[in-house]
Amino acid sequence: MNNPPQGFASSAAILVITVIFVVWWLTLIVWCSVRARRRGKLRHAIVVVLLVTLAAAAETPYDALINWQWFNSREGPVLYTAFQRGMPLWGALTYGAWIGTMAVIGLWAKENGWSKRALWKVFAALVVFDFAGESLMMHFGVAVYYGHQSPRLLEVPVVWPFVFTGSFLLIGMVFHHLIPKLSGARSVAVIPMGIGVVFAAGCFLGWPSMVALGMNLASPWTDVMAAITVATVLYWFGVVANTPSAAPARPVPDSE
């Protein structure tokens, strides 16, 4: 695999993007609190999802697998450094806001029994949103994809918005099925497991392109692996979209 490029982003760009993600994350928390205020279990699950996605910023191995590099300003806070890359504060907020939003949408969709058609519409819209958001990051020099990536659109390798959108929505759908089990100490135990779920979901859907990057393959092999990756994402998202929502827990009647 290639060594990640090193450098710094402008202080103004980092300040702006940090403010954006702080406001986004806080707005997400308020929205979730208001929408789920009368549904205790759902509110509990959403809190766990938000904590999991924020804590998932510990996953720099994933960034290494997809050849992604964050940039920070010279004076910007770095939470930690691993795999030749630092995790800036704004990067962690990205996990909490960006991944958190998609995961909550997946959770909310399954909780409210959205149709398969509605789920596919949301998936398509979020793929477009991901393309646009990542393209802006590339444009302002706060992040970059490197190495022999799949074909690019708006500076973004085509494959990754599909992987991110699919895996992050699936995370919320998985937590939908965990809601009946989220209580007390169990909900705390779910958080470290959930971080692994975030990492595993991305690897599960994106492994063909990750292998291509690890082997330092060039076109046309990266294109072939990208096509396999996108097909994998679409297949498994369709499978989960067709999975019935978890039935609400019902009390067991007393035996006579």
Side-chain angles (χ1 to χ4, degrees):
M1 299 182 70
N2 301 291
N3 292 325
Q6 304 296 328
F8 296 96
S10 75
S11 299
I14 295 302
L15 177 60
V16 170
I17 200 168
T18 300
V19 170
I20 288 173
F21 280 114
V22 167
V23 172
W24 181 349
W25 195 61
L26 293 177
T27 301
L28 177 63
I29 293 173
V30 172
W31 183 89
C32 290
S33 299
V34 171
R35 293 301 297 267
R37 66 183 181 276
R38 294 175 182 166
R39 300 169 67 177
K41 278 288 186 182
L42 177 60
R43 184 174 64 248
H44 196 169
I46 287 175
V47 169
V48 173
V49 168
L50 293 176
L51 290 174
V52 164
T53 52
L54 180 64
E59 293 180 347
T60 46
Y62 188 79
D63 298 334
L65 289 173
I66 65 174
N67 281 10
W68 164 275
Q69 176 69 306
W70 308 89
F71 292 128
N72 203 1
S73 60
R74 291 184 181 275
E75 66 279 5
V78 175
L79 301 182
Y80 67 94
T81 300
F83 298 94
Q84 302 182 58
R85 67 199 73 229
M87 174 57 68
L89 174 62
W90 76 266
L93 292 169
T94 302
Y95 275 89
W98 200 305
I99 302 178
T101 296
M102 292 191 183
V104 167
I105 289 174
L107 172 63
W108 190 264
K110 296 300 282 186
E111 274 293 295
N112 289 278
W114 290 7
S115 68
K116 183 177 73 171
R117 183 177 181 181
L119 288 171
W120 277 111
K121 285 182 177 180
V122 169
F123 176 85
L126 289 176
V127 167
V128 173
F129 177 80
D130 191 285
F131 266 114
E134 290 196 60
S135 179
L136 287 173
M137 291 184 186
M138 308 296 118
H139 179 73
F140 289 106
V142 297
V144 68
Y145 286 101
Y146 58 94
H148 294 297
Q149 295 280 352
S150 61
R152 296 178 185 246
L153 176 64
L154 301 176
E155 301 184 58
V156 180
V158 171
V159 68
W160 299 122
F162 284 91
V163 172
F164 297 155
T165 301
S167 60
F168 301 156
L169 283 172
L170 291 179
I171 291 165
M173 295 177 183
V174 167
F175 272 93
H176 158 72
H177 291 279
L178 289 176
I179 287 176
K181 302 175 179 62
L182 294 181
S183 61
R186 288 182 178 179
S187 61
V188 177
V190 163
I191 294 176
M193 182 206 74
I195 298 171
V197 170
V198 174
F199 181 79
C203 293
F204 175 67
L205 296 180
W207 70 264
S209 287
M210 292 177 182
V211 170
L213 288 170
M215 296 176 67
N216 205 28
L217 299 178
S219 182
W221 296 112
T222 52
D223 306 341
V224 171
M225 298 300 264
I228 294 173
T229 300
V230 172
T232 300
V233 172
L234 297 178
Y235 172 77
W236 281 109
F237 184 79
V239 169
V240 177
N242 281 325
T243 302
S245 299
R250 297 177 181 175
V252 178
D254 296 332
S255 57
E256 297 181 359

